[in-house]
Amino acid sequence: MADTEAKVDVEEVDSNDDGHGDTDFSKALMKNPEVLAAVQAHLNMPSPAEYIKSLPKSVRRRIRALKRLQSETNKIESKFYEEVHELERKYSVQYAPFYQRRREIVTAHTEPSDAECEWPSDEEDELADELKEKAKIEEITEGKEGEAEAKKPDESTKGIPEFWLTTFKNVEMLAEMIQDHDEPILKHLQDVELKINENTGFTLSFVFEPNDYFTNAVLTKEYFIRFSVEEDNPLGYEGPDIIKCKGCTIDWKKGKNVTVKVVKKVQKHKGRGTKRTVTKTVQADSFFNFFSPPQVEDDEELDDEMQALLTADFEIGHFFRENLVPRAILYFTGEALDEDDDYDPEGEEEENEGEEEEEEDDDEHPALPAHKGHKGKQEECKQQ
């Protein structure tokens, strides 16, 4: 009888639709006692913790046994990541000669042999011809009118000019870090080296030729990783965590420090009304702030802003380690970036919209949260 009444109510709504059919349909549906009972049961559904507490003691005992098993498997997983790290360290020795050869070619230390240059490059040659033609039409200048014309690369050019600066600027995450005053310095960057450290993490070394900005030949950034399971949270293990990152001191030459700027402020005396100009040194936006990460004590509680800074810092370090150093030439040419362009954002959006509609139609079975893999976990910067 209840079903019949519900059907009659719905039919009446359909026949008297005044543009508010969805709302009236919902009201009619809620008159159905069975629907009301189902909604009430859903609202009264206990939380997972309440549900566990409601279980018999014997069942809760078995749950504790499963947690112990999980703890033991987490320990094994941590050992797996330790061995993976050691394997990466082992193979990094085999990569080293190839990275060294790359540096020699980029910096014009040596010329590659004909055999080394054997690689299909029709598209590159076409692009080069287009650029030459464009250069004939456009005048390349270094800024304001009257300055000397920028030197164009020609056949006498040595090595690959501005290799690392161009590579960095092709990556959006790094391009956002680079300011105009950073570019003349990064033109002197000759190499970015990666060293996998034993049991601790990895170190990035930025090798510079002699320049007018600082006396350091190498700037370093070291990342420390914890592979083991935390004793006070054995069930929370999701893979290796960054626990600390350490930069280096840059020995800037006088007046060349681009990470600071001098600002002038006018102060007015409250009583006498006199004014004075005060100069203050403050931090300036610069790529080279990368070498001065926030220092946090091991037991210090982090606010959201600090946690976000540290997370972003490790994401950058992780990107250098996993992508940029091993495949620098593909980021220089843009080929590594082209892989991301194969995906259609609009198509993805349409697909997501369809998924949302399906979720709305199936309220009794809400979608489970996406699984967070270990690679995603590695990209977090966690200071503890």
Side-chain angles (χ1 to χ4, degrees):
M1 179 63 70
D3 291 342
T4 305
E5 291 175 356
K7 291 177 181 177
V8 171
D9 288 337
V10 170
E11 290 173 358
E12 290 177 356
V13 170
D14 290 340
S15 62
N16 297 283
D17 189 3
D18 59 355
H20 302 283
D22 291 342
T23 303
D24 292 340
F25 178 81
S26 300
K27 289 179 179 179
L29 194 62
M30 293 305 293
K31 292 180 181 179
N32 188 326
E34 293 182 2
V35 173
L36 287 173
V39 171
Q40 188 65 32
H42 182 74
L43 293 175
N44 293 334
M45 185 179 297
S47 67
E50 292 172 340
Y51 171 70
I52 298 300
K53 288 181 180 179
S54 69
L55 294 174
K57 185 176 180 179
S58 59
V59 177
R60 296 200 306 271
R61 179 175 177 272
R62 296 175 195 124
I63 290 174
R64 289 196 296 272
L66 295 187
K67 285 186 175 182
R68 185 179 180 85
L69 289 173
Q70 183 64 57
S71 175
E72 294 302 317
T73 57
N74 285 353
K75 292 177 183 177
I76 295 173
E77 186 178 7
S78 71
K79 294 294 183 183
F80 164 77
Y81 281 111
E82 286 181 7
E83 292 192 20
V84 168
H85 182 79
E86 184 58 30
L87 193 63
E88 288 181 328
R89 195 171 75 88
K90 173 184 175 182
Y91 273 86
S92 66
V93 177
Q94 298 184 39
Y95 297 146
F98 296 95
Y99 294 157
Q100 178 61 30
R101 185 61 180 153
R102 178 177 69 188
R103 175 179 172 178
E104 291 173 352
I105 294 172
V106 166
T107 60
H109 183 74
T110 60
E111 275 294 316
S113 65
D114 291 341
E116 288 179 301
C117 295
E118 288 183 1
W119 189 261
S121 59
D122 292 341
E123 292 182 4
E124 294 174 14
D125 291 339
E126 290 176 7
L127 179 60
D129 292 338
E130 289 178 10
L131 291 175
K132 288 179 182 178
E133 187 64 28
K134 187 177 180 180
K136 293 177 183 178
I137 301 171
E138 298 180 354
E139 257 192 13
I140 304 175
T141 60
E142 284 191 320
K144 56 187 179 180
E145 194 175 334
E147 290 188 5
E149 185 176 306
K151 184 179 179 181
K152 303 182 185 72
D154 54 31
E155 292 304 319
S156 65
T157 300
K158 303 296 183 182
I160 304 180
E162 302 177 14
F163 176 83
W164 287 102
L165 172 59
T166 303
T167 302
F168 289 5
K169 291 174 69 175
N170 283 345
V171 179
E172 183 178 359
M173 176 172 57
L174 300 180
E176 291 175 352
M177 298 168 59
I178 299 173
Q179 309 300 313
D180 290 342
H181 51 243
D182 294 324
E183 294 195 20
I185 309 174
L186 289 172
K187 289 179 180 180
H188 296 283
L189 180 59
Q190 294 186 310
D191 199 13
V192 181
E193 299 175 347
L194 170 66
K195 178 184 178 184
I196 307 297
N197 301 325
E198 185 175 4
N199 301 326
T200 58
F202 62 95
T203 300
L204 298 170
S205 297
F206 295 70
V207 183
F208 286 84
E209 65 183 352
N211 59 79
D212 296 331
Y213 299 92
F214 47 72
T215 59
N216 310 66
V218 180
L219 301 181
T220 60
K221 185 72 173 288
E222 186 173 6
Y223 291 89
F224 299 85
I225 298 176
R226 179 184 59 228
F227 298 94
S228 60
V229 177
E230 292 181 84
E231 292 183 4
D232 58 347
N233 186 25
L235 298 180
Y237 187 75
E238 296 182 15
D241 277 336
I242 186 71
I243 56 174
K244 186 166 52 176
C245 40
K246 184 177 72 173
C248 67
T249 300
I250 302 178
D251 299 320
W252 295 99
K253 295 180 180 180
K254 187 176 180 180
K256 297 294 186 177
N257 189 347
V258 296
T259 65
V260 296
K261 60 182 178 181
V262 177
V263 296
K264 294 182 179 181
K265 291 186 177 181
V266 177
Q267 296 180 342
K268 185 177 181 180
H269 195 279
K270 292 181 180 180
R272 296 191 296 270
T274 56
K275 296 180 180 180
R276 66 173 182 176
T277 301
V278 178
T279 59
K280 184 180 180 182
T281 301
V282 298
Q283 187 179 36
D285 291 335
S286 171
F287 172 84
F288 292 91
N289 289 327
F290 177 68
F291 299 98
S292 301
Q295 295 302 306
V296 181
E297 298 298 329
D298 292 344
D299 56 352
E300 182 178 345
E301 289 291 332
L302 302 179
D303 58 28
D304 292 342
E305 183 179 358
M306 182 64 72
Q307 185 64 61
L309 286 172
L310 294 172
T311 299
D313 185 286
F314 185 64
E315 286 178 352
I316 295 167
H318 184 76
F319 179 79
F320 270 105
R321 170 184 171 172
E322 296 293 323
N323 302 90
L324 202 65
V325 173
R327 299 173 179 82
I329 183 57
L330 300 182
Y331 285 93
F332 176 82
T333 62
E335 292 168 83
L337 305 174
D338 291 341
E339 295 176 2
D340 296 334
D341 295 338
D342 292 338
Y343 296 94
D344 181 7
E346 294 182 0
E348 183 179 347
E349 183 178 344
E350 292 172 1
E351 182 178 350
N352 289 339
E353 290 176 356
E355 291 175 355
E356 289 176 2
E357 292 175 1
E358 290 177 7
E359 291 173 5
E360 292 173 359
D361 292 339
D362 194 10
D363 289 339
E364 292 185 8
H365 303 282
L368 294 174
H371 175 68
K372 189 174 187 180
H374 297 292
K375 185 174 182 181
K377 184 65 177 178
Q378 279 189 316
E379 292 177 352
E380 295 181 1
C381 183
K382 208 171 186 180
Q383 293 268 349
Q384 297 186 4

